[in-house]
């Protein structure tokens, strides 16, 4: 019965660009993050297994939705072609984890 909240954004990456290693949150109450591939060709996203720090790669495929825990570190390879890599990324949180969002940032979240 807990409420869920979502925020989303577009990532548009051009030749030579990449997303460096990061995670979306380290809060105990955070839920899921993910991305939807809109346009991509020959790119991968890499996820770091938290216990042994091994890297798992996943080929980005148009139309695929990838879900992962918000605390999992991940990064992308560089775009090597002149074609843009476009994804819609998102985070989901429950109402408890919304308490940790700065009040000025809550406008970026929508209840679903």
């Amino acid at each position: 019965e807990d409420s869920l909240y979502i925020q989303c954004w577009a990532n548009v990456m051009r030749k030579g660009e990449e997303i460096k290693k990061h995670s979306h949150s380290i809060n105990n109450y955070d839920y899921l993050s993910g991305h939807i591939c809109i346009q991509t060709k020959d790119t991968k996203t890499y996820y770091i297994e938290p216990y042994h720090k091994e890297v798992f790669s996943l080929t980005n495929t148009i139309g695929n939705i990838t879900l992962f825990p918000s605390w999992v570190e991940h990064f992308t390879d560089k775009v090597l072609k002149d074609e843009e890599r476009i994804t819609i990324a998102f985070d989901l949180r429950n109402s408890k984890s919304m308490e940790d969002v700065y009040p000025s940032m809550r406008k970026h979240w929508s209840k679903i």
Side-chain angles (χ1 to χ4, degrees):
E1 294 189 26
D2 197 9
S3 297
L4 287 179
Y5 296 83
I6 190 169
Q7 72 169 342
C8 62
W9 60 94
N11 289 308
V12 180
M13 297 166 47
R14 294 168 181 83
K15 187 174 183 177
E17 296 180 330
E18 64 186 307
I19 297 174
K20 302 285 186 182
K21 181 175 73 168
H22 69 285
S23 65
H24 292 216
S25 183
I26 57 170
N27 183 307
N28 289 335
Y29 298 101
D30 283 337
Y31 191 49
L32 288 175
S33 294
H35 73 271
I36 303 167
C37 293
I38 306 299
Q39 178 178 298
T40 182
K41 188 171 188 178
D42 300 327
T43 66
K44 292 184 179 182
T45 302
Y46 302 87
Y47 302 90
I48 301 171
E49 187 272 326
Y51 304 107
H52 301 101
K53 301 296 182 188
E54 294 180 18
V55 176
F56 168 77
S57 68
L58 186 62
T59 300
N60 295 310
T61 304
I62 294 173
N64 277 11
I65 299 173
T66 303
L67 299 173
F68 52 90
S70 296
W71 47 264
V72 168
E73 291 183 308
H74 55 287
F75 60 97
T76 68
D77 51 9
K78 281 188 181 177
V79 176
L80 300 176
K81 301 183 186 247
D82 287 324
E83 193 171 312
E84 295 175 332
R85 174 193 182 270
I86 302 172
T87 60
I88 304 296
F90 56 90
D91 293 325
L92 294 168
R93 287 178 171 239
N94 64 17
S95 57
K96 179 69 175 166
S97 71
M98 286 301 293
E99 295 173 6
D100 292 333
V101 175
Y102 291 115
S104 63
M105 299 302 291
R106 289 184 186 158
K107 64 185 175 190
H108 298 287
W109 293 83
S110 296
K111 186 176 179 179
I112 55 175

